[in-house]
mmCIF file with all atom_site columns, all heavy atoms in Angstrom:
data_model
loop_
_atom_site.group_PDB
_atom_site.id
_atom_site.type_symbol
_atom_site.label_atom_id
_atom_site.label_alt_id
_atom_site.label_comp_id
_atom_site.label_asym_id
_atom_site.label_entity_id
_atom_site.label_seq_id
_atom_site.pdbx_PDB_ins_code
_atom_site.Cartn_x
_atom_site.Cartn_y
_atom_site.Cartn_z
_atom_site.occupancy
_atom_site.B_iso_or_equiv
_atom_site.pdbx_formal_charge
_atom_site.auth_seq_id
_atom_site.auth_comp_id
_atom_site.auth_asym_id
_atom_site.auth_atom_id
_atom_site.pdbx_PDB_model_num
ATOM 1   N N   . THR Q 1 327 ? 95.260  67.992 107.891 1.00 97.00 ? 327 THR Q N   1
ATOM 2   C CA  . THR Q 1 327 ? 94.813  67.094 106.822 1.00 97.00 ? 327 THR Q CA  1
ATOM 3   C C   . THR Q 1 327 ? 95.366  65.685 107.020 1.00 97.00 ? 327 THR Q C   1
ATOM 4   O O   . THR Q 1 327 ? 96.376  65.485 107.697 1.00 97.00 ? 327 THR Q O   1
ATOM 5   C CB  . THR Q 1 327 ? 95.261  67.611 105.447 1.00 97.00 ? 327 THR Q CB  1
ATOM 6   O OG1 . THR Q 1 327 ? 96.680  67.449 105.319 1.00 97.00 ? 327 THR Q OG1 1
ATOM 7   C CG2 . THR Q 1 327 ? 94.901  69.083 105.285 1.00 97.00 ? 327 THR Q CG2 1
ATOM 8   N N   . ASP Q 1 328 ? 94.712  64.725 106.374 1.00 96.00 ? 328 ASP Q N   1
ATOM 9   C CA  . ASP Q 1 328 ? 95.198  63.348 106.471 1.00 96.00 ? 328 ASP Q CA  1
ATOM 10  C C   . ASP Q 1 328 ? 96.481  63.142 105.679 1.00 96.00 ? 328 ASP Q C   1
ATOM 11  O O   . ASP Q 1 328 ? 97.252  62.224 105.953 1.00 96.00 ? 328 ASP Q O   1
ATOM 12  C CB  . ASP Q 1 328 ? 94.117  62.360 106.002 1.00 96.00 ? 328 ASP Q CB  1
ATOM 13  C CG  . ASP Q 1 328 ? 93.706  62.564 104.547 1.00 96.00 ? 328 ASP Q CG  1
ATOM 14  O OD1 . ASP Q 1 328 ? 93.990  63.644 103.986 1.00 96.00 ? 328 ASP Q OD1 1
ATOM 15  O OD2 . ASP Q 1 328 ? 93.076  61.653 103.978 1.00 96.00 ? 328 ASP Q OD2 1
ATOM 16  N N   . VAL Q 1 329 ? 96.736  64.002 104.701 1.00 97.00 ? 329 VAL Q N   1
ATOM 17  C CA  . VAL Q 1 329 ? 97.981  63.932 103.937 1.00 97.00 ? 329 VAL Q CA  1
ATOM 18  C C   . VAL Q 1 329 ? 99.146  64.486 104.740 1.00 97.00 ? 329 VAL Q C   1
ATOM 19  O O   . VAL Q 1 329 ? 100.292 64.040 104.597 1.00 97.00 ? 329 VAL Q O   1
ATOM 20  C CB  . VAL Q 1 329 ? 97.832  64.694 102.604 1.00 97.00 ? 329 VAL Q CB  1
ATOM 21  C CG1 . VAL Q 1 329 ? 99.153  64.779 101.861 1.00 97.00 ? 329 VAL Q CG1 1
ATOM 22  C CG2 . VAL Q 1 329 ? 96.773  64.033 101.735 1.00 97.00 ? 329 VAL Q CG2 1
ATOM 23  N N   . GLY Q 1 330 ? 98.869  65.464 105.603 1.00 98.00 ? 330 GLY Q N   1
ATOM 24  C CA  . GLY Q 1 330 ? 99.916  66.097 106.380 1.00 98.00 ? 330 GLY Q CA  1
ATOM 25  C C   . GLY Q 1 330 ? 100.782 67.002 105.529 1.00 98.00 ? 330 GLY Q C   1
ATOM 26  O O   . GLY Q 1 330 ? 100.294 67.663 104.609 1.00 98.00 ? 330 GLY Q O   1
ATOM 27  N N   . ILE Q 1 331 ? 102.080 67.009 105.821 1.00 98.00 ? 331 ILE Q N   1
ATOM 28  C CA  . ILE Q 1 331 ? 103.019 67.884 105.122 1.00 98.00 ? 331 ILE Q CA  1
ATOM 29  C C   . ILE Q 1 331 ? 104.060 67.005 104.446 1.00 98.00 ? 331 ILE Q C   1
ATOM 30  O O   . ILE Q 1 331 ? 104.862 66.357 105.122 1.00 98.00 ? 331 ILE Q O   1
ATOM 31  C CB  . ILE Q 1 331 ? 103.713 68.851 106.102 1.00 98.00 ? 331 ILE Q CB  1
ATOM 32  C CG1 . ILE Q 1 331 ? 102.676 69.625 106.908 1.00 98.00 ? 331 ILE Q CG1 1
ATOM 33  C CG2 . ILE Q 1 331 ? 104.634 69.809 105.354 1.00 98.00 ? 331 ILE Q CG2 1
ATOM 34  C CD1 . ILE Q 1 331 ? 103.234 70.261 108.162 1.00 98.00 ? 331 ILE Q CD1 1
ATOM 35  N N   . THR Q 1 332 ? 104.039 66.945 103.135 1.00 97.00 ? 332 THR Q N   1
ATOM 36  C CA  . THR Q 1 332 ? 105.042 66.163 102.417 1.00 97.00 ? 332 THR Q CA  1
ATOM 37  C C   . THR Q 1 332 ? 106.364 66.916 102.434 1.00 97.00 ? 332 THR Q C   1
ATOM 38  O O   . THR Q 1 332 ? 106.408 68.139 102.615 1.00 97.00 ? 332 THR Q O   1
ATOM 39  C CB  . THR Q 1 332 ? 104.622 65.900 100.967 1.00 97.00 ? 332 THR Q CB  1
ATOM 40  O OG1 . THR Q 1 332 ? 104.591 67.147 100.253 1.00 97.00 ? 332 THR Q OG1 1
ATOM 41  C CG2 . THR Q 1 332 ? 103.236 65.233 100.910 1.00 97.00 ? 332 THR Q CG2 1
ATOM 42  N N   . HIS Q 1 333 ? 107.446 66.182 102.222 1.00 98.00 ? 333 HIS Q N   1
ATOM 43  C CA  . HIS Q 1 333 ? 108.761 66.830 102.161 1.00 98.00 ? 333 HIS Q CA  1
ATOM 44  C C   . HIS Q 1 333 ? 108.802 67.852 101.028 1.00 98.00 ? 333 HIS Q C   1
ATOM 45  O O   . HIS Q 1 333 ? 109.342 68.954 101.191 1.00 98.00 ? 333 HIS Q O   1
ATOM 46  C CB  . HIS Q 1 333 ? 109.856 65.771 101.962 1.00 98.00 ? 333 HIS Q CB  1
ATOM 47  C CG  . HIS Q 1 333 ? 110.009 64.850 103.127 1.00 98.00 ? 333 HIS Q CG  1
ATOM 48  N ND1 . HIS Q 1 333 ? 110.494 65.256 104.355 1.00 98.00 ? 333 HIS Q ND1 1
ATOM 49  C CD2 . HIS Q 1 333 ? 109.730 63.524 103.258 1.00 98.00 ? 333 HIS Q CD2 1
ATOM 50  C CE1 . HIS Q 1 333 ? 110.521 64.232 105.188 1.00 98.00 ? 333 HIS Q CE1 1
ATOM 51  N NE2 . HIS Q 1 333 ? 110.059 63.166 104.556 1.00 98.00 ? 333 HIS Q NE2 1
ATOM 52  N N   . GLN Q 1 334 ? 108.215 67.511 99.899  1.00 96.00 ? 334 GLN Q N   1
ATOM 53  C CA  . GLN Q 1 334 ? 108.212 68.418 98.756  1.00 96.00 ? 334 GLN Q CA  1
ATOM 54  C C   . GLN Q 1 334 ? 107.443 69.703 99.076  1.00 96.00 ? 334 GLN Q C   1
ATOM 55  O O   . GLN Q 1 334 ? 107.886 70.804 98.733  1.00 96.00 ? 334 GLN Q O   1
ATOM 56  C CB  . GLN Q 1 334 ? 107.598 67.719 97.548  1.00 96.00 ? 334 GLN Q CB  1
ATOM 57  C CG  . GLN Q 1 334 ? 107.550 68.578 96.293  1.00 96.00 ? 334 GLN Q CG  1
ATOM 58  C CD  . GLN Q 1 334 ? 106.884 67.871 95.119  1.00 96.00 ? 334 GLN Q CD  1
ATOM 59  O OE1 . GLN Q 1 334 ? 106.247 66.837 95.299  1.00 96.00 ? 334 GLN Q OE1 1
ATOM 60  N NE2 . GLN Q 1 334 ? 107.025 68.426 93.921  1.00 96.00 ? 334 GLN Q NE2 1
ATOM 61  N N   . HIS Q 1 335 ? 106.300 69.552 99.746  1.00 97.00 ? 335 HIS Q N   1
ATOM 62  C CA  . HIS Q 1 335 ? 105.495 70.729 100.095 1.00 97.00 ? 335 HIS Q CA  1
ATOM 63  C C   . HIS Q 1 335 ? 106.257 71.625 101.066 1.00 97.00 ? 335 HIS Q C   1
ATOM 64  O O   . HIS Q 1 335 ? 106.279 72.859 100.896 1.00 97.00 ? 335 HIS Q O   1
ATOM 65  C CB  . HIS Q 1 335 ? 104.173 70.276 100.711 1.00 97.00 ? 335 HIS Q CB  1
ATOM 66  C CG  . HIS Q 1 335 ? 103.271 71.408 101.100 1.00 97.00 ? 335 HIS Q CG  1
ATOM 67  N ND1 . HIS Q 1 335 ? 102.692 72.253 100.180 1.00 97.00 ? 335 HIS Q ND1 1
ATOM 68  C CD2 . HIS Q 1 335 ? 102.862 71.856 102.321 1.00 97.00 ? 335 HIS Q CD2 1
ATOM 69  C CE1 . HIS Q 1 335 ? 101.952 73.158 100.807 1.00 97.00 ? 335 HIS Q CE1 1
ATOM 70  N NE2 . HIS Q 1 335 ? 102.054 72.937 102.105 1.00 97.00 ? 335 HIS Q NE2 1
ATOM 71  N N   . TRP Q 1 336 ? 106.890 71.045 102.076 1.00 97.00 ? 336 TRP Q N   1
ATOM 72  C CA  . TRP Q 1 336 ? 107.646 71.833 103.057 1.00 97.00 ? 336 TRP Q CA  1
ATOM 73  C C   . TRP Q 1 336 ? 108.774 72.603 102.381 1.00 97.00 ? 336 TRP Q C   1
ATOM 74  O O   . TRP Q 1 336 ? 109.019 73.772 102.683 1.00 97.00 ? 336 TRP Q O   1
ATOM 75  C CB  . TRP Q 1 336 ? 108.189 70.909 104.139 1.00 97.00 ? 336 TRP Q CB  1
ATOM 76  C CG  . TRP Q 1 336 ? 109.010 71.619 105.176 1.00 97.00 ? 336 TRP Q CG  1
ATOM 77  C CD1 . TRP Q 1 336 ? 110.375 71.731 105.224 1.00 97.00 ? 336 TRP Q CD1 1
ATOM 78  C CD2 . TRP Q 1 336 ? 108.520 72.358 106.313 1.00 97.00 ? 336 TRP Q CD2 1
ATOM 79  N NE1 . TRP Q 1 336 ? 110.769 72.471 106.311 1.00 97.00 ? 336 TRP Q NE1 1
ATOM 80  C CE2 . TRP Q 1 336 ? 109.642 72.867 106.998 1.00 97.00 ? 336 TRP Q CE2 1
ATOM 81  C CE3 . TRP Q 1 336 ? 107.256 72.608 106.814 1.00 97.00 ? 336 TRP Q CE3 1
ATOM 82  C CZ2 . TRP Q 1 336 ? 109.535 73.616 108.166 1.00 97.00 ? 336 TRP Q CZ2 1
ATOM 83  C CZ3 . TRP Q 1 336 ? 107.134 73.370 107.971 1.00 97.00 ? 336 TRP Q CZ3 1
ATOM 84  C CH2 . TRP Q 1 336 ? 108.262 73.867 108.631 1.00 97.00 ? 336 TRP Q CH2 1
ATOM 85  N N   . GLN Q 1 337 ? 109.459 71.963 101.436 1.00 96.00 ? 337 GLN Q N   1
ATOM 86  C CA  . GLN Q 1 337 ? 110.592 72.600 100.778 1.00 96.00 ? 337 GLN Q CA  1
ATOM 87  C C   . GLN Q 1 337 ? 110.185 73.777 99.901  1.00 96.00 ? 337 GLN Q C   1
ATOM 88  O O   . GLN Q 1 337 ? 111.014 74.640 99.612  1.00 96.00 ? 337 GLN Q O   1
ATOM 89  C CB  . GLN Q 1 337 ? 111.345 71.558 99.942  1.00 96.00 ? 337 GLN Q CB  1
ATOM 90  C CG  . GLN Q 1 337 ? 112.128 70.576 100.796 1.00 96.00 ? 337 GLN Q CG  1
ATOM 91  C CD  . GLN Q 1 337 ? 112.709 69.418 100.007 1.00 96.00 ? 337 GLN Q CD  1
ATOM 92  O OE1 . GLN Q 1 337 ? 112.541 69.345 98.783  1.00 96.00 ? 337 GLN Q OE1 1
ATOM 93  N NE2 . GLN Q 1 337 ? 113.390 68.517 100.695 1.00 96.00 ? 337 GLN Q NE2 1
ATOM 94  N N   . GLN Q 1 338 ? 108.917 73.842 99.512  1.00 95.00 ? 338 GLN Q N   1
ATOM 95  C CA  . GLN Q 1 338 ? 108.448 75.011 98.764  1.00 95.00 ? 338 GLN Q CA  1
ATOM 96  C C   . GLN Q 1 338 ? 108.504 76.265 99.630  1.00 95.00 ? 338 GLN Q C   1
ATOM 97  O O   . GLN Q 1 338 ? 108.671 77.374 99.117  1.00 95.00 ? 338 GLN Q O   1
ATOM 98  C CB  . GLN Q 1 338 ? 107.026 74.777 98.273  1.00 95.00 ? 338 GLN Q CB  1
ATOM 99  C CG  . GLN Q 1 338 ? 106.904 73.719 97.195  1.00 95.00 ? 338 GLN Q CG  1
ATOM 100 C CD  . GLN Q 1 338 ? 105.465 73.486 96.787  1.00 95.00 ? 338 GLN Q CD  1
ATOM 101 O OE1 . GLN Q 1 338 ? 104.555 74.223 97.201  1.00 95.00 ? 338 GLN Q OE1 1
ATOM 102 N NE2 . GLN Q 1 338 ? 105.216 72.464 95.985  1.00 95.00 ? 338 GLN Q NE2 1
ATOM 103 N N   . PHE Q 1 339 ? 108.371 76.091 100.944 1.00 96.00 ? 339 PHE Q N   1
ATOM 104 C CA  . PHE Q 1 339 ? 108.382 77.226 101.870 1.00 96.00 ? 339 PHE Q CA  1
ATOM 105 C C   . PHE Q 1 339 ? 109.731 77.368 102.583 1.00 96.00 ? 339 PHE Q C   1
ATOM 106 O O   . PHE Q 1 339 ? 110.115 78.474 102.959 1.00 96.00 ? 339 PHE Q O   1
ATOM 107 C CB  . PHE Q 1 339 ? 107.267 77.059 102.905 1.00 96.00 ? 339 PHE Q CB  1
ATOM 108 C CG  . PHE Q 1 339 ? 105.882 77.103 102.329 1.00 96.00 ? 339 PHE Q CG  1
ATOM 109 C CD1 . PHE Q 1 339 ? 105.253 75.937 101.914 1.00 96.00 ? 339 PHE Q CD1 1
ATOM 110 C CD2 . PHE Q 1 339 ? 105.202 78.301 102.177 1.00 96.00 ? 339 PHE Q CD2 1
ATOM 111 C CE1 . PHE Q 1 339 ? 103.980 75.962 101.369 1.00 96.00 ? 339 PHE Q CE1 1
ATOM 112 C CE2 . PHE Q 1 339 ? 103.929 78.341 101.635 1.00 96.00 ? 339 PHE Q CE2 1
ATOM 113 C CZ  . PHE Q 1 339 ? 103.319 77.165 101.225 1.00 96.00 ? 339 PHE Q CZ  1
ATOM 114 N N   . GLU Q 1 340 ? 110.419 76.233 102.799 1.00 95.00 ? 340 GLU Q N   1
ATOM 115 C CA  . GLU Q 1 340 ? 111.695 76.254 103.525 1.00 95.00 ? 340 GLU Q CA  1
ATOM 116 C C   . GLU Q 1 340 ? 112.647 75.221 102.905 1.00 95.00 ? 340 GLU Q C   1
ATOM 117 O O   . GLU Q 1 340 ? 112.669 74.052 103.306 1.00 95.00 ? 340 GLU Q O   1
ATOM 118 C CB  . GLU Q 1 340 ? 111.463 75.958 105.010 1.00 95.00 ? 340 GLU Q CB  1
ATOM 119 C CG  . GLU Q 1 340 ? 112.730 75.855 105.837 1.00 95.00 ? 340 GLU Q CG  1
ATOM 120 C CD  . GLU Q 1 340 ? 113.711 76.981 105.556 1.00 95.00 ? 340 GLU Q CD  1
ATOM 121 O OE1 . GLU Q 1 340 ? 113.353 78.155 105.726 1.00 95.00 ? 340 GLU Q OE1 1
ATOM 122 O OE2 . GLU Q 1 340 ? 114.836 76.668 105.133 1.00 95.00 ? 340 GLU Q OE2 1
#
Side-chain angles (χ1 to χ4, degrees):
T327 71
D328 61 343
V329 173
I331 306 162
T332 66
H333 294 292
Q334 180 182 13
H335 180 67
W336 179 263
Q337 288 171 1
Q338 291 178 8
F339 295 91
E340 176 46 58

